[in-house]
Amino acid sequence: MMAKRQPEIRIARAYNPPPADDCYRVLVDRLWPRGIKKENLNLDRWMKDLAPSTDLRRWFNHDPQRWDQFRKRYFKELDALSDSVSEMLKTAGERPILFLYGARDEQHNQAIVLKEWIEKHAEALK
């Protein structure tokens, strides 16, 4: 049996002009990005359930000082959501996946952690 390749995952801020590509586009925010029209994101899916819990999001509050702890806590939440992640990867098929997020901070956001978690668990998600 051939090994399935690692999913190609890209990340983009929802407020930036959308790249013209054939990616499977997934919004990974629990809240819709303010001021953005649904048709402008050209989404394949909005996966609120893969976003950090409301409590974790509020605790983190995009504070870079809390980044390491946020990553650990969000990894734990994602551990319980592996079925949802697997189903999303299956639906995307061979297409690259584009995670869209609304946060201003491009270095400290949930899309980065979600991508890292998926890459770390790729074998188990097949």
Side-chain angles (χ1 to χ4, degrees), residues 19-81:
D21 55 26
D22 67 340
C23 288
Y24 184 75
R25 302 166 66 84
V26 182
L27 179 64
V28 293
D29 281 0
R30 194 163 292 276
L31 304 173
W32 189 263
R34 235 181 245 146
I36 301 245
K37 292 181 176 162
K38 288 195 167 124
E39 58 271 14
N40 291 355
L41 285 184
N42 192 23
L43 288 181
D44 289 294
R45 197 143 183 204
W46 179 13
M47 295 203 67
K48 299 177 207 180
D49 60 324
L50 290 186
S53 66
T54 300
D55 288 344
L56 181 56
R57 179 179 52 81
R58 288 182 177 151
W59 172 84
F60 176 48
N61 200 28
H62 300 285
D63 179 350
Q65 298 293 321
R66 294 183 172 181
W67 176 244
D68 289 337
Q69 193 60 38
F70 170 75
R71 282 178 62 251
K72 286 178 190 154
R73 292 179 184 189
Y74 188 27
F75 270 11
K76 276 192 178 154
E77 289 185 0
L78 289 169
D79 287 343
L81 298 170

